[in-house]
Amino acid sequence: MSLPEESTPRTKKLPILQGILPLKISQVPWDIIAGITLAALAIPQVMGYARIAGIPVVFGLYTLLIPLAVFAIFGASRHLVVAADSATAAILAAALVTMALPDSPQYVTLASMVALLSAGFLILAYLFKLGFISDFLSRTVLIGFLTGVGIQIALSQIAGMFGVLQVGSNPLIQIVNLFTEEISSMNEFTILLSLLVLAIILGGRRVMKKVPWPFLVVIGTIIASWAFSFESYGIKTIGSIPAGLPVLAFPAVPLDKIPDLLGVAATCFVVILAQSAITSRAYAIQHGEHFDDEGDLVGLGLSNVAAGISGTFVVNGSPTMTEITDSYGSMSQLAQLVAAGVVLGVLLFFTPPLSYLPSAVLATIVFAIGVHLTDLQGMKNLLDRRPVEFMVALATALTVIFVSVGWGIALAILLSMLAHLRHSYHPRNFLLVESPNRGWALKSIESGSLAAPGLAIYQFGANLYYANEERFISDILEIVKNAGPSLKWICISALSIQDVDYSGSEALKQIISELKKRGIVLVLSNVEEAVKRQLERDKIIDLIGKEHFFEFNKDALVTYRKIMGIS
C-alpha cells in the first residue's frame, strides 16, 4: 500500500466528481458489478432501516436514489456509500414516535425535516471547519454505542418475527408483552418462516460471505408468497408499495415543532459525522488515498438536503454498504451511480412484486442487521486489553438499550470528551537525561534525575491549559524539592505543547516568579512558533528573556555547561 503524497495540493472548491474522476476505463466493469451487487444487497437493508425508523418501506428505497447519487457527485470519498443507516434510523424512531403515529404522513414529514436540519448542521460544520469534532468520538464508545443499537434493533424485531405488531414501546417491554399478553396472537407459520429465513441469512454468511443472502431471501419469499398465498396461512405481507419516483417538496412542518426536532437532528449530525468520517478515513488509508473530511461534509450535507426534499429520512455513511462495494472491486463512486440506476428501475417497474414480501421476512432481515451490528468481539477485545475502556463501552451500550439511543449518543460524546480530558489532564511527563550516542532517556519526576549538575530538563506531555496547570506547577516544584539547593536551571522541553491557554499562561508566570525567588533560571526548548507568539502576547518572553529560548534540548545543555564552566 502506498501512502498519499503530502505534497499533493487539495482544492478548496466544492468536490464535484472528486469521488469519480480520474476514472480508469479498465476499472469501469468492476464498478458496474459492484454497483449492481450493492443495489441487490442494499434494497432489503434500506427497507429494513425504514421499518426501524417507523417509516413506510418505500422511503428506504428513496434513500438509495437521489441522496446516493448526490453524494457520488459531490462527496470527496471514492468509496463511502451514503444511504439509510440503522443507527440514525433508531434515533429517529426513539424521538419521533412521541410526536406522530409511525407510518403516517405527519411522521414522514417530521423525518424529512430532521434530514434537512441535519444537513444544516453538516453544512455549518463545513463552513466553520468543524470536521475535527468526529475525532472526539473514540472507537471505544462507538463499539459500545453500535453494540447497544444492534441489540436494541434485534430486540425490537422479535415481535414482528412472531407475527405480532407492536409499535412505540421500549424493545424490552415489547419482549415482556410478547410472552405474556400476546402469545395468542402469534402465528406458527410466521414463526417457522422467520426461523428459516434467519438460518439461511446467518448460516449462509458463514459459508459464503459474498453471496447476497438477504436479496435471495427476499426474491425467494416473494415468489413463494405469490405462489402459495401466504396470507391464507395468516402470514402478513407488507402490502402495496407505490410505484414511481419520490415527490420533490419542502416538508411542511409547523414552526412550533422545529425546536423539538433540532435536538434529534443534532444527535443524528454527531452520528453521521463520526461514523462517516471513521469509515471514509479507513478506506482512504487502505487504498493509499487522501482523506478529505471537509469535502465529505459537503457531500453528506447535500445528500441530506436531497433526502429532505425528496420526502425520505436521514442518510449516513454506511460501513456495511461501503464494505460491499469495496469487496466487489469498486474504486470510485461510479458504483454508487450504477446502484442508484438499478433502484430507479425497481421503483419504476418492479414495486408490485414487493407487495408479496412477508412482513416477518423484513423483520428477520432487520434482526440479522442488528446481530451484525453487535460487536461482541470488539467488546471482548476491550475487556481483555483495556478493562476501564470496556466499562465505558458497556455503559454506553446499556444506556442505548435501557434508556434510549439519544441518551446513548449523548453519553458517548460525554465519555469521549472525559477520556480526552483524562489523557491531557494526566499527561506523561518526564525528566530527560542525555544518553551517550542514543539521544535522550526518559526518567520519572520522582527520580530527580538531572541532565547535568544543577540542570533539570522537564518534558511536559500535553498542551498547557486550565485542566493540567496544577499538575505542571506541582511537577516543577517537586523537581526543585528533589534537586535541592544545587539546582540552577530548569529547562522546559515544549515539544508536546502545541497551545497555551490563559490559565496555562498565568501558571507559567506563577512558576517563573517562584523560581526567581529561589535563584533558579527557567529556560525553554523545542518551542513552536505559534506557541512563541502566544507567549509574546502574554509578555512571558520578556519575563524569561529571549536568550533563554533554545531550538533543541542539546542547545540548552551546551549553553548551560558553557556558562557554568562544566566540561
Side-chain angles (χ1 to χ4, degrees):
M1 180 185 74
S2 60
L3 293 176
E5 294 184 9
E6 295 295 332
S7 60
T8 303
R10 305 298 300 174
T11 177
K12 291 298 180 182
K13 297 178 181 179
L14 290 180
I16 299 174
L17 299 180
Q18 188 172 310
I20 298 175
L21 301 176
L23 183 65
K24 295 181 180 179
I25 300 301
S26 60
Q27 182 59 39
V28 170
W30 293 104
D31 281 334
I32 293 174
I33 292 170
I36 294 172
T37 306
L38 172 63
L41 285 167
I43 284 173
Q45 281 192 32
V46 296
M47 291 170 68
Y49 296 153
R51 181 164 183 144
I52 293 170
I55 291 172
V57 294
V58 69
F59 293 96
L61 296 180
Y62 292 163
T63 68
L64 285 175
L65 193 61
I66 302 177
L68 182 70
V70 166
F71 186 85
I73 294 170
F74 292 101
S77 172
R78 296 180 69 85
H79 307 278
L80 187 67
V81 177
V82 172
D85 180 70
S86 55
T88 45
I91 292 168
L92 277 178
L96 299 188
V97 72
T98 61
M99 302 174 67
L101 186 66
D103 283 346
S104 66
Q106 294 84 358
Y107 190 99
V108 174
T109 301
L110 292 174
S112 297
M113 179 55 74
V114 171
L116 282 179
L117 294 173
S118 299
F121 283 121
L122 289 162
I123 292 170
L124 285 174
Y126 166 74
L127 293 175
F128 291 99
K129 303 186 184 302
L130 299 180
F132 69 90
I133 292 175
S134 64
D135 296 333
F136 282 91
L137 270 181
S138 68
R139 290 180 184 271
T140 297
V141 295
L142 279 175
I143 288 172
F145 174 71
L146 292 176
T147 296
V149 169
I151 293 172
Q152 189 202 54
I153 287 171
L155 290 176
S156 70
Q157 298 306 308
I158 292 176
M161 294 169 65
F162 281 51
V164 177
L165 178 63
Q166 290 189 349
V167 176
S169 59
N170 184 283
L172 292 173
I173 297 175
Q174 286 187 15
I175 298 299
V176 173
N177 291 340
L178 179 65
F179 292 102
T180 55
E181 302 175 7
E182 303 285 354
I183 291 180
S184 59
S185 302
M186 295 182 187
N187 179 275
E188 59 273 22
F189 295 107
T190 301
I191 295 172
L192 287 173
L193 177 63
S194 297
L195 293 175
L196 176 62
V197 168
L198 187 63
I200 291 172
I201 293 175
L202 297 184
R205 282 176 179 169
R206 287 182 173 273
V207 178
M208 300 177 70
K209 290 185 177 181
K210 289 193 174 183
V211 173
W213 295 108
F215 178 74
L216 295 180
V217 162
V218 166
I219 297 299
T221 53
I222 284 174
I223 294 172
S225 176
W226 171 76
F228 299 105
S229 185
F230 275 10
E231 288 189 318
S232 65
Y233 296 93
I235 301 174
K236 300 182 179 67
T237 62
I238 63 174
S240 61
I241 295 178
L245 302 179
V247 177
L248 301 182
F250 189 86
V253 174
L255 289 178
D256 61 341
K257 296 283 188 182
I258 299 298
D260 296 329
L261 298 179
L262 280 172
V264 189
T267 306
C268 289
F269 158 71
V270 174
V271 174
I272 293 168
L273 191 63
Q275 186 168 297
S276 300
I278 287 173
T279 305
S280 183
R281 183 189 293 117
Y283 284 91
I285 292 172
Q286 180 179 321
H287 292 281
E289 297 169 355
H290 180 85
F291 169 61
D292 183 358
D293 56 343
E294 292 183 12
D296 281 344
L297 280 173
V298 174
L300 289 163
L302 293 178
S303 293
N304 276 285
V305 170
I309 63 174
S310 62
T312 188
F313 58 104
V314 172
V315 293
N316 186 13
S318 170
T320 53
M321 294 187 197
T322 304
E323 175 59 26
I324 289 169
T325 58
D326 187 73
S327 63
Y328 281 88
S330 169
M331 288 297 292
S332 78
Q333 290 285 338
L334 177 62
Q336 281 74 292
L337 291 178
V338 171
V342 173
V343 172
L344 176 63
V346 170
L347 285 169
L348 291 177
F349 306 111
F350 296 105
T351 53
L354 288 176
S355 64
Y356 288 97
L357 178 67
S359 298
V361 171
L362 201 53
T364 306
I365 290 172
V366 176
F367 179 89
I369 290 169
V371 171
H372 183 71
L373 272 177
T374 305
D375 191 358
L376 297 181
Q377 184 59 50
M379 296 291 284
K380 182 179 182 300
N381 287 340
L382 287 174
L383 179 61
D384 294 341
R385 295 162 52 187
R386 298 289 190 278
V388 174
E389 294 188 40
F390 167 78
M391 296 305 296
V392 170
L394 181 62
T396 304
L398 292 177
T399 302
V400 170
I401 297 167
F402 289 102
V403 184
S404 71
V405 175
W407 280 108
I409 193 64
L411 180 65
I413 295 169
L414 176 62
L415 291 177
S416 291
M417 296 290 284
L418 288 176
H420 171 74
L421 186 61
R422 175 175 171 266
H423 286 301
S424 58
Y425 177 69
H426 287 295
R428 294 183 177 273
N429 307 327
F430 301 98
L431 287 169
L432 302 182
V433 178
E434 192 175 26
S435 180
N437 302 319
R438 297 176 63 184
W440 296 91
L442 306 178
K443 303 293 183 180
S444 68
I445 303 298
E446 296 77 13
S447 71
S449 301
L450 299 180
L455 169 65
I457 300 180
Y458 168 58
Q459 179 170 294
F460 192 71
N463 292 335
L464 182 55
Y465 70 117
Y466 66 91
N468 58 28
E469 59 169 295
E470 287 300 324
R471 174 71 180 275
F472 175 78
I473 292 172
S474 63
D475 274 359
I476 292 180
L477 293 179
E478 184 173 355
I479 293 168
V480 172
K481 179 182 176 182
N482 292 340
S486 63
L487 190 63
K488 305 300 181 185
W489 275 25
I490 288 183
C491 175
I492 298 175
S493 179
L495 191 64
S496 299
I497 301 177
Q498 310 293 316
D499 183 64
V500 179
D501 75 351
Y502 179 82
S503 297
S505 174
E506 292 303 301
L508 263 173
K509 291 177 182 179
Q510 180 182 340
I511 206 66
I512 291 168
S513 175
E514 186 64 32
L515 291 177
K516 280 184 177 179
K517 292 177 185 177
R518 302 180 187 222
I520 299 171
V521 176
L522 180 70
V523 303
L524 279 78
S525 64
N526 299 302
V527 183
E528 287 196 356
E529 287 301 320
V531 175
K532 276 187 180 179
R533 288 194 292 270
Q534 290 178 321
L535 299 181
E536 189 171 15
R537 284 198 302 268
D538 295 337
K539 309 298 183 183
I540 289 176
I541 289 182
D542 294 337
L543 291 175
I544 296 175
K546 292 182 180 180
E547 72 277 10
H548 290 150
F549 280 79
F550 299 95
E551 189 172 0
F552 301 107
N553 298 330
K554 184 72 173 179
D555 298 336
L557 178 59
V558 169
T559 302
Y560 174 79
R561 283 176 171 164
K562 183 177 179 181
I563 292 173
M564 297 298 171
I566 301 173
S567 58

